[in-house]
Amino acid sequence: MEQTLGQIPLFSGIKSKELKKLGKRMTERGFNEGDEITREGESGIGFFVIEDGNATVSVGGEIVRTLGPGEHFGEIALIDNGPRSATIIASTDLRCRGMSAWEFRPFVDEHPEVAWALLETLVSRLREAHA
């Protein structure tokens, strides 16, 4: 998990030892093919990193991208408890690692460099949404 986390831009500035700690804070979660993981407009509090499998992301009923191993979703939920901005459905059996906002906030407090990476990710998502 440590290697997977290190490849995510959100965590690229974090040292290996700290990535290991972060990985231990995350919980393994499995989804079956066809499972709806998040629903656009509904509340959500989790952040997930895909370890194995694929998922589709749709906004307004239209598929906008596919996610695979090493990719993540739910980062907006780490900042607020507002509604999900997209629906995510497992297109294959999916194995993820996840954590809630209340687990993630202390990690960001200890590693402020993650906050900047999170902002960059959010801006990227915002630009994609308005493209």
Side-chain angles (χ1 to χ4, degrees):
M1 186 66 202
E2 175 187 336
Q3 184 178 9
T4 301
L5 289 173
Q7 294 173 358
I8 297 173
L10 193 58
F11 304 122
S12 63
I14 306 297
K15 294 180 180 166
S16 179
K17 179 181 169 186
E18 299 303 316
L19 286 174
K20 187 177 276 190
K21 287 180 188 178
L22 178 61
K24 287 180 181 179
R25 290 183 184 185
M26 300 178 87
T27 307
E28 189 168 324
R29 183 84 194 270
F31 300 95
N32 295 318
E33 181 179 347
D35 283 355
E36 185 177 79
I37 304 164
T38 70
R39 180 177 289 189
E40 184 178 359
E42 292 191 359
S43 65
I45 56 171
F47 166 75
F48 296 93
V49 176
I50 298 174
E51 287 189 292
D52 189 46
N54 295 297
T56 58
V57 179
S58 62
V59 177
E62 191 174 318
I63 295 176
V64 295
R65 76 172 161 245
T66 300
L67 301 173
E71 294 186 284
H72 59 90
F73 58 93
E75 63 279 348
I76 294 171
L78 294 175
I79 296 173
D80 72 359
N81 292 327
R84 292 289 189 178
S85 60
T87 297
I88 299 181
I89 296 177
S91 50
T92 66
D93 287 346
L94 197 61
R95 193 177 76 239
C96 301
R97 291 284 212 167
M99 68 187 324
S100 66
W102 58 85
E103 294 168 315
F104 187 70
R105 283 185 184 126
F107 185 79
V108 174
D109 286 344
E110 296 165 16
H111 303 90
E113 64 273 20
V114 172
W116 187 257
L118 186 58
L119 286 171
E120 290 175 328
T121 299
L122 295 175
V123 167
S124 174
R125 297 272 197 258
L126 182 64
R127 290 185 190 280
E128 281 177 20
H130 293 286

